[in-house]
Amino acid sequence: REKDDKPKIWMPKFWMAKEDKDRRRSSDDGESNAEKSKKMEKEEKFFRETFMYNKEIKVISRATAECSVPSKRRVDLPVTAGEQLDVIDVTEGKAVICRNSEGRYGYVLVEHLNFR
């Protein structure tokens, strides 16, 4: 080995936690806050027109979906197991009006929700 050759220095590679990587990826190439708020406003407007809802939208409670349920009608909210939902209003039947993290609104049966 000659004097001019520098030894290679080994540097450890630090692994990033999966959550941090996903968060960084979603913030980099995801929708901007302006686009998200515009989409949320559009969903709220559709909700108010469809449900003829003129009250203030307040979150009564938070619930977790126990199982995945596809929507059969446009007014039903499709949910996936473990999804966090905001309960907006209680109806006379067995359903409640919920909002998901994407800002979509719809009916969800109480039997599919866990309120803990």
Side-chain angles (χ1 to χ4, degrees):
R1 197 161 129 148
E2 296 182 22
K3 287 185 177 181
D4 295 338
D5 291 343
K6 291 185 179 179
K8 289 187 178 180
I9 299 173
W10 180 79
M11 294 292 288
K13 184 169 186 165
F14 295 104
W15 296 99
M16 193 181 311
K18 186 173 179 13
E19 299 87 31
D20 294 339
K21 197 182 279 186
D22 291 343
R23 191 178 310 127
R24 182 175 290 166
R25 201 177 289 146
S26 68
S27 66
D28 290 346
D29 58 22
E31 296 175 315
S32 70
N33 286 340
E35 290 173 349
K36 281 185 180 179
S37 64
K38 194 173 186 179
K39 185 177 178 181
M40 295 278 261
E41 287 175 15
K42 183 180 174 186
E43 287 290 341
E44 183 179 334
K45 183 180 177 188
F46 179 80
F47 163 70
R48 288 188 178 280
E49 290 172 357
T50 306
F51 287 75
M52 292 180 274
Y53 197 84
N54 54 10
K55 296 187 263 182
E56 180 184 353
I57 295 176
K58 286 195 285 186
V59 177
I60 297 171
S61 177
R62 296 204 88 192
T64 306
E66 289 185 333
C67 58
S68 297
V69 182
S71 64
K72 296 177 182 172
R73 306 173 294 169
R74 176 61 180 118
V75 294
D76 293 334
L77 183 65
V79 294
T80 56
E83 183 178 11
Q84 293 285 325
L85 301 170
D86 295 331
V87 179
I88 305 298
D89 204 353
V90 180
T91 62
E92 292 180 15
K94 296 179 181 179
V96 290
I97 298 174
C98 294
R99 174 179 61 197
N100 65 9
S101 60
E102 297 171 1
R104 289 193 58 200
Y105 296 83
Y107 290 116
V108 179
L109 292 176
V110 175
E111 59 198 40
H112 299 303
L113 298 176
N114 185 359
F115 288 94
R116 285 188 226 168

